[in-house]
């Protein structure tokens, strides 16, 4: 399983790798915040929010790391998942915090809270299209010729002289 992830990562351009790492770091950081809130205050950590938002914030303890795993696995499904979770998180935070934002808009300028959540969601949404394109490309993985003739996958098992595996039963690799 990890070999497939390594091959996908090797086939990606450096810029795409950086975007994926920033996405994963953001979702793992969000996981840490929500887990810390739950550890400090228990299941009623978000009792000041409407019930639907409370449930969503609790669900982020599972959703954030799931998105991080998809992103770190260079899976194409991680791109829309990241966009949906980041956008929903930003929306829920804006909706739940609107009363104090409308009372004092300067709270938006704080480095912890709504500002980084909003900026991260905008970053995830803005980088979704390039990531979708980069992850949709089918990486071409060259087969290395074996050192010994009797090695698995060597000429004795039908490997052609240019290093590619022959297709069997018309199956697609």
């Amino acid at each position: 399983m990890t070999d497939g992830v390594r091959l996908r990562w090797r086939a990606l351009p450096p810029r795409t790798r950086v975007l994926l790492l920033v996405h994963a770091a953001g979702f793992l950081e969000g996981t840490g915040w929500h887990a810390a809130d739950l550890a400090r205050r228990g299941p009623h950590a978000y009792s000041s929010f409407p019930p639907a938002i409370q449930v969503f914030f609790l669900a982020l303890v599972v959703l954030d790391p799931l998105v991080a795993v998809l992103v770190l696995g260079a899976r194409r499904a991680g791109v829309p998942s990241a966009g949906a979770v980041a956008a929903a998180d930003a929306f829920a935070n804006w909706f739940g915090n609107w009363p104090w934002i409308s009372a004092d808009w300067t709270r938006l300028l704080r480095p912890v809270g709504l500002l980084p959540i909003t900026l991260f969601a905008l970053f995830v949404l803005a980088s979704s299209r390039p990531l979708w394109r980069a992850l949709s490309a089918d990486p071409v993985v060259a087969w290395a010729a074996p050192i010994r003739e009797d090695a698995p996958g060597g000429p004795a098992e039908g490997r052609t002289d240019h290093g590619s595996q022959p297709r069997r039963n018309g199956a697609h690799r």
Side-chain angles (χ1 to χ4, degrees), residues 9 15-16 19 55 70 92 95 101 111 115 118 123 137:
W9 272 86
R15 178 177 179 233
T16 302
L19 288 176
V55 171
L70 288 172
F95 184 82
I101 294 170
L115 179 64
T118 304
F123 171 76

Side-chain angles (χ1 to χ4, degrees), residues 89-111:
D89 189 12
F91 175 77
N93 273 284
W94 273 90
F95 184 82
N97 291 310
W98 185 252
W100 64 261
I101 294 170
S102 59
D104 182 16
W105 68 270
T106 60
R107 290 184 174 188
L108 288 174
L109 303 176
R110 295 182 182 173

Side-chain angles (χ1 to χ4, degrees), residues 96-168:
N97 291 310
W98 185 252
W100 64 261
I101 294 170
S102 59
D104 182 16
W105 68 270
T106 60
R107 290 184 174 188
L108 288 174
L109 303 176
R110 295 182 182 173
V112 175
L114 200 53
L115 179 64
I117 292 168
T118 304
L119 292 176
F120 179 68
L122 291 173
F123 171 76
V124 168
L125 293 172
S127 60
S128 289
R129 189 170 188 140
L131 278 177
W132 182 261
R133 287 183 188 150
L135 294 177
S136 68
D138 190 19
V140 177
V141 179
W143 289 86
I147 296 172
R148 298 181 353 221
E149 294 233 347
D150 61 339
E157 290 188 9
R159 184 178 288 249
T160 60
D161 58 348
H162 55 51
S164 64
Q165 288 280 357
R167 290 191 184 156
R168 299 172 197 248

